[in-house]
Structures are given as structure tokens and as C-alpha cells.
Amino acid sequence: MTKSKDMAMSSTVAVPDALGHFGRYGGRYVPEVLMSPLEELEHAYLEASRDPAFQDELKRLLHYYAGRPTPLYLAARLTQNLGGAQIWLKREDLLHTGAHKINNCLGQILLARRMGKQRIIAETGAGQHGVATATVCALFGMQCVVYMGEEDIRRQRLNVFRMRLLGAEVVSVANGSRTLKDAISEAMRDWVTNVATTHYLLGSALGAHPYPMMVRDFHKVIGEETRAQAIEQMGKLPDAIFACVGGGSNAIGIFYPFLKDESVRLIGVEAGGKGNKLGEHAARFSGGVPGVLHGTLSYLLQDEEGQVGLTHSISAGLDYAAIGPEHAWLHDGQRAEYVSISDAGALTAARTLARTEGIIPALESSHAIAEAIRRAPLEPESIFVVNVSGRGDKDIDIYRENMPELDV
Amino acid sequence: MPLQTTTRIAGLFQKKKAEGRKAFIAYLTGGDPSPDHTASLILALERGGADLIELGVPFSDPIADGPVIQRASERALQAGTTVPKLLTIVRQVRQHSEIPIILFSYLNPLLRYGFERLARDTADAGIDGVLLTDLSVEEAAEPVNRLREYCLDTVFLAAPTSTERRLQLVAEHSSAFVYLVSRTGVTGEQVSLSQAAAPLVNRMRRLTSLPLAVGFGISTPEQVAQVAEIADGVVVGTAIVRRIEKYAGSADLATELESYIKELTAPLRSV
């Protein structure tokens, strides 16, 4: 890990640069119409992040409304059954709305209010970000429109209803692959059109600057808590941290406060889907090359002609062709390691966690759990932390479909 | 950043200015409905009165486009359109016509092709310039340098939301002309010309002597005439693509397009 030292040491101060670059990645690749609004957003965010009143209000909401801090929990039976590394779970699944997404939504809704925006738009894949956005819009009395791919609406019906119950309008997107990618494109078209009145509450560490930085900052509370809890509960830092990576918001949130801690391995888990061919997975680091999608330069699944590739994952939240630019930078600098877990592997891990710990994880989080389970027997001396980014209620239909033996 | 030689595009605007006329700029998505059609459609646009062609490179995720051009991109990709095929099409056009042609694209297909190679191959094929919808001036240094080495014009978009500082940067990075987006929004026809167009033209005139073209939402001869009163060039895209979609299966596609452009450009001939 010595190779990564210089980068790790500089990482918390040097990136992104003033134009939003993480090394060669990131930046701002959008139509000119959006450039001034992005500059305004960046300015408002930097101002808010230095404003103690803003920070206090956010902290208060995270505590009293969302339920922070979340526990760092020793999964004793899982650990015992695997007979290897000690496995701890960061319980983001216990937050209000059932996933880490609420951290970022509370931050951005306060920012939107500060900027005088009345209308909020968002994209959603699994529906977790859509639900969290609908929730904060209800809380602040703002109009909410959520774009969601037709395919994702089909496989995440429960979350669609939750959003509607919360007063949001859910717009079905029937373009392209009818998943997260197309929902983001449609949200960007809305934003281009209504930018004067509307804040785009982007839900992952993706998109044009300042989004990857801002979303990371709103989620870094996950890693800050984990670090303090580890010291308090374990007496030391963990040896490895596992998190699933779609766009990469929960992963960057838990990784970021550990970047300087060289001894802590950071492991991002992508969706391996059902095969290695383009269109069968969402493993950007094994199948992608750098390219530009939705405003940022990062690893991108694409064909020889630069057309964005189709993706597949059983988990809607990981089913996306590009990865957040900071992850691309951490990957190239070898500060974080990225692997993939198949659909089947994630399903098995979900069942294992349910039966050893009484916790039904989201399909997204199950990818990270699977990798920790795979490695635990190989490292009996290690301490692992897995970010359980969301709970599995929304995935019950998919679990049912894939475990017919339980559904008699 | 003026170019060393007079390009076809710069020549066009000089000629128009000398004649006291305005340029008509026609967009079509390359390869729509299939690559076999595109060369003849470009020639039909020229016969109808187009002075400059924006040749769209189809992209899988066209975030700045409305439904009409999105569908055109899908048709073109379905028909197997690629950058090399578009270069072949331009070579075919060049056997018959000297009409200026700009490649109009999202960044990723050209990034994948590689800008060094793109600059060489597009110049060689007879393309005159490149406009990249999602390339901000902040990220443009490398592509602009490569393209300029091959005497290709670079055109950037200015928008009603652009600050004075940004308008200045857009003008500095553009050669031959600047493309003003008449309103905030995606591409598509509008009932009337946006109120934002004239103030944007006025702001930009104070910052540059380059010719100014106005586009987005223009689809009728009346709107063409209105834009011609304030700008040096008028861009029509979606309305043309809609015609191509409507007559895609018809043997009359090229003649229909030609007569439609004649209608649209009539006000420019009488000005």
C-alpha cells in the first residue's frame, strides 16, 4: 500500500480541484444552459458548508428526523458461522426511509430552500433515492417530480407507491434501457428546461461538478461515525471496509473519512450481473473505459463507437453504465479496490444475513455483504466493516421470485 | 482565436454579409432514417436553400434533445450509423457540393474516436467544423487545439442563462460563428420565438464581432424572418427532422424536404 501513500495523504484536500476534477476524472460536461446554474449551485453549496446555522440545522434533522447516528453492529453469529474475519455492520438500513439516501436528500433540500427553489426533481433507480427525495419534499412542502425507468417501476412497485403516498409525481421513462440511465437523462432534460425554478436533487456521487463533491460531503457522516465507533467499540480501526457501488454514494460516504488511514483497505463491490458480456452486468472497472455520461468523465460501459452500453443487475440501484468520478480516481491510484459480485451471489448473501442476523438487506447492499462473506474465511485475524446501505423491504418481490422454495 | 485561412464557413458568412442576407443553417441527424439516405438529404437541403449543414452524430443518451431528435438518434443507431460512416457520407456529398458542413455531436462518440484522429479524418473528408453540445469551454482546450491544427472551425453554444464572463469564454473558443440557444430547454419546435433570443443577441454583439446564429424552437417561415432581423444565421433542426421522420418510408422524402426548406427560406430570399 506504500504506493498509495502520497495520494491518500493529499486526497482530502486536493480533490476535487476548482473545476471539479478528481485527477483526470469528473469535471463539468453539460450543455451551456446548465453551466451558470451549476456555478450558482457550487457557490451556494460552498457558502452553506461554511455556515454554522446551515450545518446545525442539517445535524439536527439527521439526528431527530433521520435517526443518526446509526449503529455499528458486531454480526456475531455471521462471524461465528464463517469462522474467519470479525464482521461488523454499519446499519444505514435503520435510517428513516430505509437507506443512506436520506443523508444527501436532507442536505440538498436545505440547500434548495436556501437558493429559493420551489420545485424539486430527482431520478431514481431502485426507488430509494426517489422515496428519500419525496420524503424531504413532503417535510419542506415542496413540489416533487421523480423520474424512474419503466423497467425499474415494474421491479420496484412498492417504492413507486411510497413516493405517490408522500405526494410526489412519479414520471415513467420509456426511453433506452428504461432504467436509471434513462431516468437521469430525462431529469436533466427537465432541469435544462426549468432551471430557473427547479433544483435537481441528484442522488448519487455522479454528474457534473459540484454534485460528486457535494453528495460525498453529505454522506461522509457515514464514515465519520464508523471511524469514531470503531475506535470506541473495537479499540482500533477496521482492516477493511466493504460497500456496494452503483454511482457510488454510500461507498464514497463511508470510504472518504478513511482515505488517509493507509491500513484500512477500501473495497467497492459492483454488480457482476449474470455474465461478462456488455449488457449482462454493471462492472465498470472490468468492462468500461473512460468516457463522458451525464456531465462527468469516468469509467463508462460503452461500445467501440462510444455509444453507452446497456447494463444488467438484479439490483436496480447498481444498474448503471458509469461510476462516480472519485471512485475512478481512487481506483487508478489504487487507494480503493473494486470487485464484482453476481446476481446469484447477492441473493445468497441476503439469505445468509437474514438467517444468521435477522437482517434482510437491500439487494444493493447484499453485493457488499457477499464479498465480505467470501473473504472472511481467508482472513481470520481481520476486522471487516460492511456498509448495509439499505434494507430489503423494497426487494421482497424480487426475493420471492428468486426463492420459490420459500413461497409455497 | 482566428484561423489562418478563410474556412468555408467564414467564407459563407462573409458572402452573406456582402449580399446583405442571412444564412440558413439546417440540422439533420446523420444516418436517419438510414446512412444510405443522408448524402441525398444533405443535397436536398442545399437545393431547398440551406447554406450550412449541421450533421448530427447520433448518440445513445442525447440529454439536450427533445423527443423528435431522440427518435432520430435511435433510428440512426438502429440503422448502424457510426462516425466512419458519416465521414463516408460527407465524402459523397463533396463530389457534388461545397456546402459548409459542421459535425454536431455529443462528446462521447468523438472522445472514443479520439480527437487527433477525428481532426485528421474529418478535415480529410471535407468537414469544416465541429460543435459539441456537452463540451463546456472549461474542458475544451485539448479538443479545440487538435481541431484547429487541421483548420477546422469550432463552434460553441451560448445560452440565455450564460453570465457575461461565460459569453466571453464562448466567443473566445468559437471561430466562424457563435450559436445562440434562443431559450432554456431541449431541442424542439415552439409556437413563438422565445423572448430571450433578442437580449442574448444584443449581449453577445457587445462581446464579439463573429457572426451570430440563433437556434432552438424555430419551425415556421415567420419565425425564420423574425430571427433574420436580429441574427446573421437561422438554425432549424427539429422541424426538419420531423419531416424526415414523416416521409421516412416514402420515395418522395428528398423532394418533400427540398420544398419544405424552400418554404422556410423564402423570407431570407426576399429580405
Side-chain angles (χ1 to χ4, degrees):
Chain A
M1 295 306 287
T2 47
K3 192 179 169 187
S4 67
K5 189 180 175 187
D6 289 347
M7 202 189 78
M9 292 308 285
S10 63
S11 59
T12 49
V13 284
V15 294
D17 69 12
L19 293 172
H21 297 112
F22 300 87
R24 65 177 291 206
Y25 303 107
R28 221 173 239 163
Y29 296 88
V30 292
E32 174 61 24
V33 170
L34 293 179
M35 289 299 291
S36 293
L38 284 165
E39 287 175 357
E40 270 173 51
L41 177 62
E42 179 193 0
H43 181 73
Y45 170 66
L46 292 175
E47 216 178 59
S49 63
R50 288 189 295 263
D51 177 356
F54 179 90
Q55 294 301 332
D56 283 352
E57 186 169 13
L58 178 56
K59 209 175 278 181
R60 195 175 54 73
L61 284 165
L62 286 172
H63 178 66
Y64 292 105
Y65 186 71
R68 301 213 72 90
T70 60
L72 181 64
Y73 162 75
L74 173 60
R77 280 198 74 225
L78 179 65
T79 299
Q80 199 177 23
N81 284 9
L82 295 170
Q86 202 178 69
I87 300 181
W88 294 69
L89 306 177
K90 180 60 175 167
R91 299 290 310 276
E92 293 295 295
D93 59 314
L94 292 176
L95 283 176
H96 180 43
T97 71
H100 73 290
K101 295 291 187 188
I102 192 80
N103 301 324
N104 170 52
C105 288
L106 285 169
Q108 284 200 43
I109 199 86
L110 289 179
L111 192 60
R113 192 188 59 180
R114 194 181 165 98
M115 293 176 75
K117 307 286 183 183
Q118 288 303 314
R119 182 172 173 268
I120 301 293
I121 57 170
E123 81 298 338
T124 197
Q128 287 305 103
H129 174 60
V131 166
T133 303
T135 299
V136 298
C137 287
L139 181 64
F140 284 84
M142 292 209 203
Q143 188 192 346
C144 180
V145 178
V146 179
Y147 291 92
M148 188 167 185
E150 208 174 64
E151 169 66 12
D152 291 338
I153 285 182
R154 186 192 62 77
R155 56 181 169 174
Q156 302 285 350
R157 296 205 64 79
L158 184 63
N159 271 344
V160 175
F161 183 77
R162 289 169 79 194
M163 287 184 264
R164 289 183 178 145
L165 180 62
L166 289 160
E169 180 190 349
V170 180
V171 179
S172 171
V173 179
N175 304 332
S177 56
R178 306 191 305 277
T179 60
L180 180 59
K181 169 175 85 85
D182 312 286
I184 297 179
S185 293
E186 209 52 34
M188 287 183 80
R189 290 185 187 111
D190 182 318
W191 202 36
V192 164
T193 310
N194 301 303
V195 67
T197 59
T198 300
H199 174 66
Y200 180 13
L201 209 165
L202 184 62
S204 197
L206 290 167
H209 182 59
Y211 282 103
M213 170 182 78
M214 180 168 74
V215 175
R216 172 198 73 194
D217 290 352
F218 285 137
H219 282 304
K220 72 182 178 190
V221 64
I222 307 171
E224 286 166 353
E225 281 176 14
T226 303
R227 203 170 182 287
Q229 289 165 327
I231 290 166
E232 190 193 318
Q233 295 173 241
M234 308 167 188
K236 59 179 192 171
L237 296 180
D239 299 293
I241 295 175
F242 298 80
C244 63
V245 188
S249 66
N250 89 84
I252 203 68
I254 195 165
F255 288 176
Y256 186 68
F258 288 94
L259 289 180
K260 289 186 195 171
D261 300 309
E262 274 183 77
S263 67
V264 182
R265 285 173 286 146
L266 306 172
I267 297 145
V269 186
E270 299 182 278
K274 58 187 177 189
N276 295 326
K277 288 204 284 275
L278 187 64
E280 293 182 340
H281 62 88
R284 286 66 49 100
F285 287 123
S286 52
V289 296
V292 169
L293 177 66
H294 295 144
T296 193
L297 176 68
S298 189
Y299 280 79
L300 175 65
L301 291 169
Q302 53 180 307
D303 68 13
E304 295 295 318
E305 302 297 330
Q307 304 298 337
V308 177
L310 295 182
T311 52
H312 163 81
S313 171
I314 194 168
S315 144
L318 304 185
D319 199 353
Y320 183 65
I323 191 163
E326 192 161 8
H327 288 291
W329 182 73
L330 293 174
H331 169 269
D332 285 10
Q334 297 178 6
R335 177 61 191 97
E337 180 192 346
Y338 295 85
V339 298
S340 64
I341 285 288
S342 68
D343 289 350
L347 285 165
T348 304
R351 189 157 162 165
T352 302
L353 191 70
R355 297 197 166 187
T356 54
E357 297 292 341
I359 296 168
I360 301 172
L363 271 165
E364 289 76 18
S365 322
S366 300
H367 287 73
I369 294 158
E371 181 64 10
I373 289 175
R374 193 186 69 76
R375 291 194 195 200
L378 309 173
E379 298 186 36
E381 306 301 319
S382 291
I383 298 178
F384 290 175
V385 170
V386 183
N387 197 17
V388 183
S389 54
R391 67 177 188 227
D393 305 44
K394 69 180 176 65
D395 296 316
I396 291 301
D397 285 343
I398 298 169
Y399 287 137
R400 278 180 70 183
E401 272 172 44
N402 286 279
M403 301 175 191
E405 69 283 6
L406 301 181
D407 195 31
V408 287
Chain B
M1 282 190 270
L3 291 171
Q4 299 297 315
T5 53
T6 302
T7 62
R8 276 195 197 94
I9 306 171
L12 165 70
F13 281 102
Q14 282 165 15
K15 178 167 156 274
K16 287 284 168 186
K17 191 174 182 187
E19 295 169 359
R21 291 185 185 279
K22 304 303 172 74
F24 185 84
I25 302 171
Y27 170 92
L28 84 169
T29 300
D32 170 36
S34 86
D36 298 339
H37 287 84
T38 304
S40 67
L41 292 182
I42 290 173
L43 295 173
L45 291 169
E46 185 180 23
R47 284 195 304 274
D51 299 302
L52 192 160
I53 302 295
E54 287 181 355
L55 179 61
V57 178
F59 182 49
S60 53
D61 297 83
I63 57 154
D65 286 302
V68 175
I69 294 181
Q70 286 177 45
R71 288 197 299 270
S73 293
E74 276 172 35
R75 284 193 297 272
L77 290 174
Q78 282 288 320
T81 307
T82 60
V83 172
K85 278 190 185 167
L86 295 179
L87 297 178
T88 304
I89 288 164
V90 173
R91 288 197 178 88
Q92 289 166 4
V93 172
R94 284 285 170 254
Q95 290 172 7
H96 309 279
S97 166
E98 288 298 308
I99 190 167
I101 299 176
I102 279 191
L103 209 56
F104 192 105
S105 186
Y106 289 87
L107 180 58
N108 203 57
L110 303 193
L111 195 63
R112 188 72 200 255
Y113 194 86
F115 272 96
E116 177 72 43
R117 184 175 155 225
L118 180 86
R120 189 190 64 218
D121 293 355
T122 48
D124 183 62
I127 286 173
D128 304 293
V130 177
L131 190 161
L132 290 156
T133 316
D134 56 348
L135 180 67
S136 60
V137 289
E138 280 81 352
E139 305 289 350
E142 170 72 13
V144 166
N145 289 339
R146 292 282 87 75
L147 295 167
R148 295 292 177 83
E149 277 169 23
Y150 287 85
C151 292
L152 290 156
D153 277 310
T154 56
V155 177
F156 284 81
L157 299 165
T161 52
S162 304
T163 57
E164 301 307 301
R165 184 183 65 81
R166 298 204 58 80
L167 292 182
Q168 184 74 49
L169 286 170
V170 165
E172 283 169 10
H173 283 76
S174 298
S175 58
F177 73 99
V178 183
Y179 186 143
L180 308 184
V181 174
S182 69
R183 60 186 168 82
T184 59
V186 294
T187 56
E189 305 101 320
Q190 297 285 305
V191 179
S192 60
L193 182 65
S194 163
Q195 299 289 317
L200 181 58
V201 170
N202 292 335
R203 288 168 67 209
M204 203 53 154
R205 290 274 188 226
R206 289 197 284 272
L207 297 170
T208 182
S209 56
L210 283 173
L212 305 181
V214 170
F216 272 48
I218 298 159
S219 63
T220 65
E222 293 71 32
Q223 291 168 340
V224 169
Q226 280 178 296
V227 172
E229 280 174 29
I230 56 172
D232 309 298
V234 186
V235 190
V236 176
T238 297
I240 290 172
V241 174
R242 194 186 285 283
R243 289 281 153 146
I244 294 173
E245 180 173 59
K246 186 175 172 190
Y247 293 100
S250 158
D252 301 330
L253 172 57
T255 48
E256 283 291 340
L257 200 60
E258 183 182 335
S259 60
Y260 178 57
I261 301 302
K262 278 195 175 128
E263 256 175 68
L264 280 180
T265 53
L268 301 183
R269 281 187 292 275
S270 62
V271 166

